Amino acid sequence: MIRLAIGTLRRHRGAYLGTFLAALLAVALLAGAGLLLFSVLTATPPADRFAAATAVVSGTRDVTLTTTREKHKKGKTKTKTERLSGAGTLPADLAPRLAALPGVARVVPDAAFPVELATTAGPVRGADVAPVIGHGWSSAALTPYRLRAGHEPAAGEAVVDSDLAARGGLTVGDEVRITTRTGVRTLRLAGVAAPTGRDALPAQGALFLADREVAAVSGLAGPTAVAVLAEPGADRAALLAAVRARVGGAPVLTGADRVRADLPGALPDYIGPISVFGFTIGITAFAAIFVLTGTVALGVRQRLRELALLRTIGATPRQLRRLLGAESLVLAAVAALPGLPLGVLVAHLVAARFRHLGVVPAQFTVRINPVVLLLAGFAGALVTLVAARFAGRRAVRVAPAQALVETVVAPRGGVAARAAVALIAAAGAVAVLAFVPLGGPFGMGMTFISSALLLCAVAAVGPLLVRLVSAVPGRLSAGTGAAGWLAAATTRVEVRRTAAVAVPLVLMFGINAPLLLNGELTARLAEDQQAARLAGADTLVTGAAGLPLDTAKRVATLPGVTGAAATVPTRVVLAQGGKPQDYAAQGLLRIGSDDVLDLAVEAGALSGDGTFAASADLAEAYGWRLGDEVPLWLADGEQVVLRLSALFTRYRGFGELALPATLVAAHDPRGLVSAVALRHSDGAVAERIGQHWPELRVVPTAAATRTDDGNQQGAWELLVVVSLGFTAIAVVNTFAISAAARRREFADLRLAGATARQVHRLVDREALITVLAGLALGVAVTSAVVVPFSLAQDGVFRLVVAPATYLVLLGGVAGLGLVAGALPVRLVLPRRGLPALGDR
Amino acid sequence: MRIHGAGGPVVELVDVVRRYAGGNGAPALAGVTVAFEAGTFSAVMGPSGSGKSTLLQCAAGLDRPDGGRVRLAGQELGTLREPKLTQARRRRVGFVFQSYNLMDSLSVWQNVLLPQRLAGTRPDRAWAREVLHRVGLAGRENDRPGQLSGGQRQRVALARALAGRPEVIFADEPTGALDLGAGREVLALLREAVDELRTAVVMVTHDPAAAAWADRVVFLADGRVVSELADPTVDTVAARMTAVTAA
């Protein structure tokens, strides 16, 4: 059977080219997305700052909740963890207690805290804008960092790594300015240090202070980790057991795990990208499977006659099924050969772009895993096989007698099954759109799922829908000359073929338009809300990297300022049903009589210490009422209980929660004010700020409405580019397959007296009708998704979210369809060529 | 109505040479001179590879000779280029092929009127109806080719050829895919077109029984006209065919 399959593949090289191309691209996309997801899931921190330590005792780095539920008389325990953005501290007396244990050579309390480093020339960061992390000098021994120049830092001095020194053009004796949550300090550079064999650790710059200055500069109550160095020849197991017994519940990390004791902000974040790559694989897998299924089905349908001929020479339906199966397996295997390397290339290209956008850490590398590649190839083969089986399930039962008849029509029927599939898919889409809160964090993902379901529904009953929506353009076309009349007739009669070509167009528009439009809508809403929040402010004061809360307070109390609001961005962990979940939040400090930050409070009032405000949506999701005492975890894992005092609605680009700024600054390791919004009575305030704090930027609020979601939007756009590219190729491919199979029909037309030009016009007109039908359905799918999404965001009914984007996409898809329809026939049928009689 | 003189040939080939790509082998047509008159039914016969289909295609303007001249209804085809060639063809020529060459997506009626629609002329519906009646397909106008038998389809093709009132009908193995009865019906209709409508018919066939319906049989071998036979019968054709093949 395999030999026969290879034989048929060889003989019909042209006919299989389209299916081969689709399989190749599908495998490449699956492999690419699979590798990216695999790489991010298995990514390890690039270097271990604790490499020289035997074991590291870590402060809190996550919120872990364990719930026990009674189920069938058996307790079922579930543990859910959410990572913190900051680091919890350990008791200050832990280090001396551990030092007393036998076998311990040395114990080093380690503090790690973000530092904004600047010279007179401007801010200095590490390679790939890596953050600068501050430590006490004793921590240098843990890596170890060794001095390359100068000496250990004394009070008022600092040592930086060689990389930072090079980037900042620093030499020993220079002055540097550091900003932490405790304030701004000017230090003298005492020395330059580096880990063995390199200038700096990847992903983090290091700045060392005198040990006794750490607490004052960092604002930390204790060490974030305590490292234990064993004596040479000590019994490690016994030592670890003793350490574990001494520290109580705190994690004691060894080997590759030690790195987890570092400051979360100092390690590349591979958790965020998981959802991005998860989404990527969702979209690509859907598009790849969708396109491949359609292409394979089209290919099988075009070979009905050949299948019927095989039936006449005695092939049983079972043999035909096996032939189709074997064929598709050979095809998928051959397609995987170039497809998998292409997938590796795709993964590298996407990763490079994502690194550039900052969606993934600069240290992210694509790891090539043979199992992932095999799985991608296997998935491609499976999809091809199933699609071929499905498309051929009726074809193989073609009556042998039909082979002798000129046209072989696939037995109709299966309408009920197709309608059922369409109904179920559409119902699923409606359910998702109706019952899942699209305004929440999963809104975009859910709208993608519903457009995917709707596209499945459209594909299932494609011929029926295409017949409906092409009726009007068909009728209009019929009145315009012989070619128009013929085009109307062929698109109507060959509605399955029309649908097969139209469905990729529907896919191309229906999957990309909602992604782009919804992305644009959320970005625009965030900008609008930002503008509305700041409508009452005159100017916005920002620093290159943020300003300490103290500085913000002094800015806010300058003469002439009538109102001020400072925001300290942070993350807060909330729990519901035993599942901790991380949210964006702001520490909010308001000073003065005028309200300059309008969060659109709809109930209660913003209040002081011991209280917090939440977005109305969040409060509803968690079932909070005003006055409730709510437990929440701050960035360093500290649990506090705050009273809900206000519900607000303008949370986009801000955060779901507003907490007292001093509380946030005390528990977020960075703890810096990102911006102070000011309202002032006299214009000299800006000048005064410039005099006092030359490093601060003062801008009119109107110019400062951009939010930080830029890289998220960039990631969306890249995803859309990938899926646009793939779906565009699918569109061209199906048009080409369809045209290639119509040589004979075109030749017949030429014999009936059509000039080549008339045939070209006919095909152009068919393409136009097909494109109109495809776009009509694409717009329908898009609207079905975009409208509920828009309603869920802010209750406004929007059909066309961004007219420019919409038109460009509409025009692009239409243009591509028309060109893809027009080109193949011109290649098959040259304008001056004679009617072909030869190849039949 | 016929523009060229009543007595002149409708199709005239003079010294027509046709080589095929590669060009090493013997030419498909090695200098063929032959004429077909209005109101005559001619059959072209010859062994496989003798060039009979090539002759038909060159005569009909579906293929370009490498040498010699072809005149179709008084028009020199060699000077015509596409799309003029197609326009000339659809005004003066009808085709009937072994494989029918109907449009599956059009009904019988639409197929019959298709050449006239493509020509942009006002379809002569009354004549089309008459022609469909003559081929015995009155009442099947709305059927699609897929719903018809092979013989019926070939009759639709014939009706389509006749509907344009061509001066010549080229038929390439028109009975090749048909059973005996259906083939006979098609041949009778071709004969009728010659006798009643004074259409010239040029038919390529390998079947002596089909050739016997013609007024004259031209025998080809190795790209040359090797023999002719007037008022053929099955027996004379078969005998001559055997002689030609043996030579």
Side-chain angles (χ1 to χ4, degrees), chain A residues 681-767:
Chain A
S681 52
D682 79 88
V685 166
E687 268 171 47
R688 262 171 236 146
I689 294 172
Q691 277 164 17
H692 281 79
W693 301 279
E695 72 275 15
L696 293 185
R697 276 197 300 254
V698 183
V699 288
T701 46
T705 48
R706 256 199 65 245
T707 53
D708 307 334
D709 293 340
N711 56 9
Q712 207 61 28
Q713 185 68 11
W716 276 122
E717 276 157 19
L718 179 62
L719 279 189
V720 172
V721 166
V722 170
S723 92
L724 265 180
F726 178 66
T727 47
I729 290 169
V731 166
V732 175
N733 199 16
T734 35
F735 265 113
I737 295 174
S738 161
R742 292 176 67 191
R743 275 167 189 262
R744 186 197 165 83
E745 186 186 338
F746 297 151
D748 286 347
L749 262 175
R750 293 283 277 119
L751 287 178
T755 62
R757 212 171 145 177
Q758 282 178 315
V759 179
H760 295 175
R761 272 214 301 271
L762 157 72
V763 175
D764 293 351
R765 192 56 70 81
E766 284 180 3

Side-chain angles (χ1 to χ4, degrees), chain A residues 284-679:
Chain A
T284 50
F286 171 73
I289 290 170
F290 195 91
V291 165
L292 191 51
T293 314
T295 314
V296 170
L298 185 62
V300 169
R301 225 170 31 241
Q302 290 186 339
R303 290 176 44 233
L304 287 179
R305 187 178 159 71
E306 187 194 313
L307 293 174
L309 275 170
L310 283 172
R311 290 277 283 123
T312 57
I313 58 167
T316 61
R318 187 180 140 80
Q319 281 173 321
L320 285 190
R321 257 196 301 275
R322 279 175 48 204
L323 172 70
L324 282 176
E327 247 178 47
S328 52
L329 284 181
V330 172
L331 195 77
V334 175
L337 291 180
L340 293 177
L342 186 65
V344 173
L345 184 70
V346 166
H348 276 109
L349 289 177
V350 172
R353 189 74 200 136
F354 271 5
R355 276 196 298 266
H356 180 75
L357 289 168
V359 176
V360 296
Q363 292 75 26
F364 176 73
T365 48
V366 176
R367 293 155 56 113
I368 293 163
N369 181 286
V371 175
V372 172
L373 291 179
L374 277 178
L375 278 177
F378 180 73
L382 188 72
V383 172
T384 318
L385 180 70
V386 170
R389 275 286 176 94
F390 197 71
R393 76 199 185 284
R394 304 194 145 262
V396 297
R397 273 181 271 150
V398 165
Q402 267 200 296
L404 302 172
V405 179
E406 195 57 23
T407 34
V408 179
V409 186
R412 303 233 168 192
V415 178
R418 283 171 160 269
V421 169
L423 271 180
I424 292 168
V430 169
V432 168
L433 291 171
F435 299 119
V436 176
L438 298 175
F442 306 113
M444 291 284 265
M446 288 303 151
T447 51
F448 166 71
I449 289 174
S450 49
S451 33
L453 285 170
L454 284 174
L455 285 167
C456 289
V458 167
V461 286
L464 193 71
L465 291 174
V466 167
R467 191 194 300 268
L468 278 176
V469 293
S470 63
V472 172
R475 203 155 298 161
L476 288 177
S477 172
T480 57
W485 168 78
L486 254 179
T490 48
T491 45
R492 192 180 57 246
V493 175
E494 297 292 331
V495 69
R496 282 185 179 207
R497 184 178 69 207
T498 314
V501 180
V503 163
L505 286 161
V506 184
L507 172 75
M508 186 176 176
F509 193 81
I511 201 162
N512 294 307
L515 280 180
L516 266 184
L517 296 175
N518 288 349
E520 213 164 305
L521 178 64
T522 38
R524 203 174 69 198
L525 286 177
E527 269 175 37
D528 289 353
Q529 291 206 353
Q530 172 82 344
R533 275 194 298 273
L534 293 174
D538 297 319
T539 48
L540 212 58
V541 180
T542 58
L547 46 161
L549 195 54
D550 251 14
T551 314
K553 276 181 190 159
R554 279 154 62 203
V555 169
T557 48
L558 280 175
V561 174
T562 55
T567 47
V568 184
T570 188
R571 315 278 311 178
V572 163
V573 175
L574 302 171
Q576 189 174 39
K579 188 181 183 311
Q581 173 82 36
D582 160 89
Y583 290 91
Q586 299 276 353
L588 180 58
L589 174 74
R590 299 186 311 143
I591 292 176
S593 51
D594 288 353
D595 197 2
V596 293
L597 189 74
D598 184 2
L599 292 177
V601 172
E602 64 171 24
L606 295 175
S607 186
D609 287 350
T611 68
F612 78 111
S615 78
D617 291 351
L618 186 72
E620 192 190 325
Y622 277 79
W624 297 333
R625 294 166 178 283
L626 280 181
D628 280 1
E629 302 279 334
V630 177
L632 31 84
W633 288 267
L634 300 170
D636 62 356
E638 177 90 355
Q639 192 179 16
V640 293
V641 176
L642 298 176
R643 185 168 50 80
L644 181 63
S645 71
L647 299 177
F648 60 93
T649 54
R650 264 184 214 138
Y651 62 89
R652 290 173 192 283
F654 179 82
E656 303 266 10
L657 300 127
L659 281 61
T662 42
L663 186 69
V664 168
H667 292 279
D668 187 285
R670 200 157 175 280
L672 291 175
V673 170
S674 58
V676 188
L678 292 181
R679 185 164 193 169

Side-chain angles (χ1 to χ4, degrees), chain A residues 201-230:
Chain A
L201 290 182
Q204 53 175 312
L207 182 140
F208 298 97
L209 302 168
D211 285 327
R212 58 196 151 90
E213 286 197 322
V214 165
V217 174
S218 67
L220 291 169
T224 50
V226 172
V228 177
L229 286 76

Side-chain angles (χ1 to χ4, degrees), chain A residues 405-407 481-483 485-486 489-490 492-494 744-745 747-756 758 831-835 837 840, chain B residues 57 61-64 81-83 85-87 89-90 95 97 99-106 110 114-115 117-119 144 146 153 160:
Chain A
V405 179
E406 195 57 23
T407 34
W485 168 78
L486 254 179
T490 48
R492 192 180 57 246
V493 175
E494 297 292 331
R744 186 197 165 83
E745 186 186 338
D748 286 347
L749 262 175
R750 293 283 277 119
L751 287 178
T755 62
Q758 282 178 315
R831 179 106 167 255
R832 296 254 176 235
L834 293 166
L837 282 169
R840 39 187 52 241
Chain B
Q57 287 169 23
L62 293 172
D63 197 359
R64 265 181 210 288
R81 301 194 48 170
E82 282 293 330
L85 201 54
T86 297
Q87 286 161 5
R89 207 166 43 230
R90 79 185 162 204
F95 287 103
F97 289 101
S99 50
Y100 325 128
N101 300 79
L102 299 173
M103 297 292 295
D104 296 326
S105 50
L106 299 182
Q110 287 170 327
L114 180 63
R117 273 195 183 262
L118 289 169
R144 280 191 207 292
R153 279 196 233 186
R160 181 172 73 176

Side-chain angles (χ1 to χ4, degrees), chain A residues 68-88:
Chain A
T68 309
R69 261 211 321 228
E70 289 291 324
K71 208 172 183 184
H72 306 297
K73 290 180 188 170
K74 267 190 261 173
K76 197 182 169 192
T77 308
K78 266 193 193 168
T79 303
K80 299 264 181 185
T81 298
E82 181 75 321
R83 297 190 336 147
L84 292 169
S85 56

